[in-house]
Amino acid sequence: MFLYAAIVPPQEILDEIWSVAEAASADGLIETPPGGRRKASRLRLLRSKRPAETERPGPVLDLARAIDVNLPMAKFGNLALHDANRLAEALRESASGWSSPRLRLGGCSTLESETDPSIWVDLEGDLDDLLTVIRGVHEAAKSLRLFVDRRVFQPRVRLGGVRADATEPELEALLARLQRFETDAWWQTEFHLLTLVDQGPDLPDYKSFADIALGPHVAH
């Protein structure tokens, strides 16, 4: 089975940010906000798009499914069931000594890529504690002589892709609204070993193989 370790934000947090993104994306044409032109360097993917019109065919942002959202910390490749169980056991033994981080989602960013017109919401909070967890996951896999891809963690969540014919003022208005928003903070008290599955277009593309509890928060 293909296995990876990931943080899954609480459903109420995802519902919160998705509601804001959906509302911002569905707004009618909005005049470019004050200072919006200063964001022009983040909008290169739209430079060749049509000028603003009085109507548009749909929301600016094609939202991803909230149920699919997780933040991968490490990928372990295709593991036999025996090795997957060994890894889960080793992580459970170690994770009680790793502090639970307090996290939130806020602001937004783009990759400034013409081939990936995505908008992301940034992960904030106790990122040092989260990085300690990630290093611990890597070390646990290494101790079992299992393959681990260390390059997968990115402290952001993909909200969705920009509509292909969106105008620059539309996108500027969307980014301005998202930049002002942040979710409530939450304690991340566990992470998951997830395995990819194919359950159809309307169901999750992964399931939890193991839930790994973290230790209590340690004040610094």
Side-chain angles (χ1 to χ4, degrees), residues 31-43 168 172-173 175-176:
E31 294 182 1
T32 302
R37 292 297 173 188
R38 290 195 295 271
K39 301 175 186 295
S41 64
R42 304 171 63 187
L43 308 176
E168 187 167 320
E172 286 177 337
L175 292 175

Side-chain angles (χ1 to χ4, degrees), residues 56-188:
R56 64 180 195 188
V60 179
L61 191 61
D62 181 17
L63 282 172
R65 299 184 305 172
I67 198 170
D68 289 334
V69 174
N70 55 76
L71 291 91
M73 301 188 296
K75 293 182 179 180
F76 309 106
N78 194 16
L79 295 183
L81 180 60
H82 171 69
D83 286 332
N85 283 324
R86 289 172 60 224
L87 178 60
E89 181 179 356
L91 289 172
R92 288 192 179 107
E93 289 179 358
S94 298
S96 61
W98 303 336
S99 178
S100 293
R102 190 161 176 80
L103 305 172
R104 63 182 178 274
L105 295 172
C108 65
S109 59
T110 69
L111 298 183
E112 296 193 8
S113 168
E114 295 182 2
T115 60
D116 183 9
S118 296
I119 290 181
W120 305 73
V121 61
D122 300 325
L123 184 69
E124 303 171 345
D126 298 331
L127 296 186
D128 287 344
D129 285 342
L130 180 57
L131 291 174
T132 296
V133 173
I134 294 171
R135 286 192 293 268
V137 170
H138 295 166
E139 289 302 316
K142 182 179 177 181
S143 71
L144 298 175
R145 297 186 177 180
L146 298 177
F147 166 82
V148 56
D149 186 345
R150 301 168 177 260
R151 301 166 297 173
V152 299
F153 177 69
Q154 300 181 41
R156 57 179 180 255
V157 169
R158 183 179 181 274
L159 290 179
V162 177
R163 199 187 71 232
D165 61 350
T167 66
E168 187 167 320
E170 286 178 311
L171 184 54
E172 286 177 337
L174 172 65
L175 292 175
R177 182 163 176 175
L178 291 175
Q179 284 284 12
R180 296 191 298 267
F181 176 78
E182 68 177 29
T183 67
D184 294 332
W186 75 90
W187 291 108
Q188 188 68 45

